[in-house]
Amino acid sequence: MMTALATVSEVKATAKGFAVELSCEQQTSCSSCSSQKSCGTGIVSKAVGNKSLHWQLLTDKVVKAGQVVEIGLPEKSLLQSAAVVYLIPLFSLILGAAVGQWLFAPLFAGGEGIVILASALCTFAGIILAKRIAANLESDSSQQVKLLRVLGEPIS
């Protein structure tokens, strides 16, 4: 299980316990890396800034707004999302190139332009498909977030 620290944004009492809204900042390891000034990833992460993630969960533990908690997320959901986002467009590109090379190029007596166009169109379709599947996986993974422990008040 992957863990992260989050801050309690809001707490609402329900019949089953407490509905807790959490926020946590996505962190990269770029701040502690010695080559952050010459690395493309470090430059991009500085330009984009930190992304704030929001989670909701049900718990029976008593928490209040402002407290820092540790949450857990199963690795399976992260691996599924990564596989969808990276592999579906890649396989779509390969499929588009194969279809373009073996079907469209001989059919239209075209050259590489037909193959490139078929690859680009299939990749675009793969990206759209990956976005839809990833959105479903994200909503499923938000149901799997578990409150592991309450750490206390934030240091400000």
Side-chain angles (χ1 to χ4, degrees):
M1 180 164 290
M2 293 179 44
T3 61
L5 296 180
T7 305
V8 177
S9 303
E10 188 177 344
V11 180
K12 294 179 184 174
T14 64
K16 298 179 182 178
F18 298 98
V20 180
E21 187 172 322
L22 306 167
S23 67
C24 61
E25 287 192 27
Q26 183 176 351
Q27 298 176 355
T28 63
S29 59
C30 292
S31 60
S32 62
C33 181
S34 62
S35 62
Q36 66 180 334
K37 293 179 182 162
S38 61
C39 173
T41 304
I43 293 169
V44 169
S45 71
K46 279 185 181 178
V48 173
N50 290 341
K51 180 180 178 184
S52 181
L53 303 171
H54 298 280
W55 302 95
Q56 287 139 6
L57 58 87
L58 289 172
T59 184
D60 56 351
K61 295 182 182 179
V62 178
V63 293
K64 58 184 178 182
Q67 282 186 314
V68 177
V69 296
E70 184 177 28
I71 56 174
L73 180 69
E75 288 93 355
K76 179 183 175 185
S77 63
L78 176 69
L79 293 175
Q80 283 177 338
S81 297
V84 163
V85 169
Y86 288 111
L87 295 179
I88 288 179
L90 178 64
F91 289 145
S92 298
L93 171 77
I94 294 169
L95 178 68
V99 168
Q101 181 69 37
W102 290 316
L103 182 66
F104 294 142
L107 186 65
F108 297 115
E112 292 178 358
I114 295 278
V115 177
I116 292 170
L117 181 62
S119 297
L121 290 175
C122 283
T123 303
F124 182 69
I127 290 170
I128 291 172
L129 178 65
K131 279 185 175 184
R132 288 187 180 180
I133 294 173
N136 291 337
L137 288 175
E138 183 179 347
S139 66
D140 291 344
S141 71
S142 67
Q143 304 299 320
Q144 298 172 355
V145 175
K146 299 207 180 335
L147 179 64
L148 299 178
R149 61 185 171 148
V150 180
L151 299 175
E153 301 295 326
I155 300 173
S156 322

